[in-house]
Amino acid sequence: MKGFEINTREHLELIRSSAFESEHAQLYDSSYMQHEAAAIALEQEIENSLASISPDENSDEDRRVIKTQIKIHRERQRALRPHLESGSGSEDGDGRECVFVPAPMHWGANGDLDEESGSLSSVHNLLTWQASYSPLSYTPMYEELPSPDIPYYSMLDHSQPQTTYHLHRTREWTTSGTRKYVYSARDFSDKYSLYLLETSHRGDNQVTAAEFYRVSEFPQTCISILLSGIEKQDSNAAYKSRCIHLRGPFSTPIKEYPDRQQKIPWSPRRFTYGGRRFVWKPGDPHDDVMPETLYEFTRDWAKPGSRTGKRLDDARVTPLVWGEKKMKGKVESYTIHFAGGMDQVFREILLASQMVRQVCLFTAME
């Protein structure tokens, strides 16, 4: 019986992945039917779980995950419906743009790590490998890498449009005194979810960990996030800076360190990626919840006269990531933009960083 359950689970995962693979290949009609089959199979999983005579302490969480997967497949069907029988291409027969999910496809991300791609993530992957396995501190391969003196933004393909995500806190509930936050990143049309970030916290503590997912792979983690601990001593605790460690496709995490720990605001916060140095700075000095702005820099130094650790730098004037706030009634939502041509892996790491920071700030508003 156990072997049968494993085979059934593997078959279900095959159906789910095939739906996204067909969509990625622009086989829209096939993808629509596969999304339908996946949703029906998942709905049957819930029925089987509810009918089980063997109680499972994890069953509530399993059903929550399955319901999220069903929602994802139904959402993809709504995106595909106007384009059925339209053939391949980015537009249908009436010239309407197809809104699909290139970002959550794992094979696209893996391609960014290949040396041939020339992406910043491929450079970072190479440097990570050399630091871990090369017996030499210097190898000729370094001479082939782009110089950090050449601005990163000038190396991007400027013919590519900027990438925009709309950020929404989708739901939150309390179980055993713990609040769970689910934050989503939707595509430029603000209709279809591409990424999810989930985290939990208790009222007397701050968020210390989160998981970032591509919706096509949920609940398989894309990036795991850890934050340095900070006690909730006052109402301003959520606004105080902390370290963020993001572990994705690399053997070592990306480490973001604030200039001043446990001080308001969160930024400046600095990290190294692909041999280059980047800094998050406040997106709006008068609004702590506004998404941060990312710049590249080459040098930083202590601010003269500062007693709290403030630093100055030679950050370049062109931003790589920036955001804005929208108001719909009394509800706030946020939009974040990425410079065109930025590779997917790097973009996902930056998006995960901004989303987890936003969720930490949301805990102060509850």
Side-chain angles (χ1 to χ4, degrees):
M1 184 67 180
K2 186 175 182 180
F4 174 77
E5 291 176 354
I6 293 174
N7 291 335
T8 302
R9 193 180 307 117
E10 291 176 349
H11 180 65
L12 177 57
E13 290 305 312
L14 179 61
I15 295 174
R16 295 194 65 237
S17 62
S18 295
F20 289 100
E21 289 172 7
S22 295
E23 185 174 337
H24 185 71
Q26 299 181 345
L27 301 174
Y28 305 143
D29 297 87
S30 297
S31 178
Y32 185 91
M33 297 305 297
Q34 289 162 344
H35 280 298
E36 175 71 16
I40 292 175
L42 289 165
E43 289 166 354
Q44 185 61 52
E45 283 282 297
I46 291 181
E47 290 184 15
N48 294 341
S49 173
L50 293 172
S52 175
I53 60 174
S54 301
D56 185 347
E57 61 181 7
N58 298 318
S59 59
D60 288 343
E61 175 64 15
D62 290 341
R63 283 193 290 271
R64 185 191 70 82
V65 169
I66 293 173
K67 288 178 181 178
T68 301
Q69 291 174 328
I70 293 171
K71 180 180 178 182
I72 290 167
H73 287 291
R74 294 302 187 192
E75 187 177 84
R76 296 317 310 156
Q77 285 188 294
R78 290 196 296 273
L80 287 163
R81 195 172 291 123
H83 310 286
L84 298 180
E85 301 180 0
S86 62
S88 62
S90 60
E91 295 182 349
D92 65 13
D94 297 325
R96 294 174 298 185
E97 185 176 6
C98 298
V99 182
F100 298 124
V101 283
M105 296 293 100
H106 61 83
W107 45 85
N110 290 339
D112 290 335
L113 303 181
D114 295 336
E115 291 183 39
E116 293 78 8
S117 71
S119 68
L120 185 62
S121 291
S122 68
V123 173
H124 186 83
N125 197 34
L126 175 61
L127 295 176
T128 300
W129 177 84
Q130 288 184 329
S132 301
Y133 300 105
S134 175
L136 304 176
S137 59
Y138 175 87
T139 72
M141 297 181 74
Y142 277 91
E143 298 177 349
E144 302 173 8
L145 301 180
S147 169
D149 296 332
I150 303 174
Y152 173 61
Y153 66 80
S154 69
M155 302 172 63
L156 297 175
D157 182 357
H158 296 292
S159 67
Q160 297 293 321
Q162 70 183 35
T163 300
T164 296
Y165 300 109
H166 299 278
L167 308 182
H168 296 274
R169 183 175 38 162
T170 54
R171 63 183 181 269
E172 172 237 336
W173 65 95
T174 302
T175 56
S176 303
T178 300
R179 285 180 172 177
K180 176 177 281 288
Y181 290 88
V182 182
Y183 204 34
S184 65
R186 299 178 188 168
D187 72 313
F188 69 91
S189 73
D190 203 10
K191 294 180 180 178
Y192 308 109
S193 297
L194 303 182
Y195 298 97
L196 295 174
L197 181 138
E198 293 190 352
T199 187
S200 301
H201 90 112
R202 298 179 65 89
D204 55 347
N205 291 296
Q206 291 295 311
V207 171
T208 58
E211 301 293 328
F212 177 83
Y213 310 93
R214 303 180 185 119
V215 297
S216 62
E217 299 170 350
F218 181 81
Q220 177 182 328
T221 301
C222 175
I223 297 172
S224 295
I225 308 164
L226 293 177
L227 300 99
S228 57
I230 180 171
E231 293 184 4
K232 191 173 184 179
Q233 299 174 336
D234 56 58
S235 59
N236 293 321
Y239 298 96
K240 294 182 178 179
S241 61
R242 65 205 72 174
C243 303
I244 303 178
H245 289 193
L246 305 105
R247 187 178 295 277
F250 308 111
S251 58
T252 55
I254 309 302
K255 301 177 181 179
E256 298 184 356
Y257 293 113
D259 288 355
R260 305 186 305 156
Q261 290 198 46
Q262 299 197 21
K263 299 288 184 180
I264 299 175
W266 279 65
S267 45
R269 199 170 61 259
R270 306 176 192 275
F271 66 97
T272 300
Y273 191 83
R276 295 174 177 271
R277 305 179 73 188
F278 298 94
V279 55
W280 290 110
K281 294 195 174 184
D284 183 344
H286 305 294
D287 187 349
D288 292 329
V289 188
M290 184 71 72
E292 295 167 309
T293 302
L294 183 72
Y295 300 92
E296 183 181 12
F297 74 100
T298 58
R299 189 171 65 91
D300 66 314
W301 59 93
K303 182 178 181 179
S306 174
R307 298 181 179 180
T308 60
K310 292 182 179 179
R311 303 188 67 80
L312 302 176
D313 56 54
D314 60 354
R316 306 186 189 275
V317 296
T318 303
L320 297 166
V321 182
W322 62 99
E324 58 199 39
K325 178 170 67 175
K326 299 185 298 180
M327 293 294 296
K328 192 171 183 180
K330 295 183 178 180
V331 179
E332 296 177 347
S333 65
Y334 299 87
T335 300
I336 186 167
H337 309 281
F338 296 79
M342 185 179 295
D343 72 74
Q344 177 184 329
V345 171
F346 188 32
R347 190 172 66 239
E348 289 174 340
I349 289 170
L350 300 176
L351 179 60
S353 172
Q354 283 301 289
M355 290 177 74
V356 76
R357 172 182 171 274
Q358 291 281 98
V359 167
C360 288
L361 292 168
F362 284 147
T363 63
M365 304 178 188
E366 297 299 329

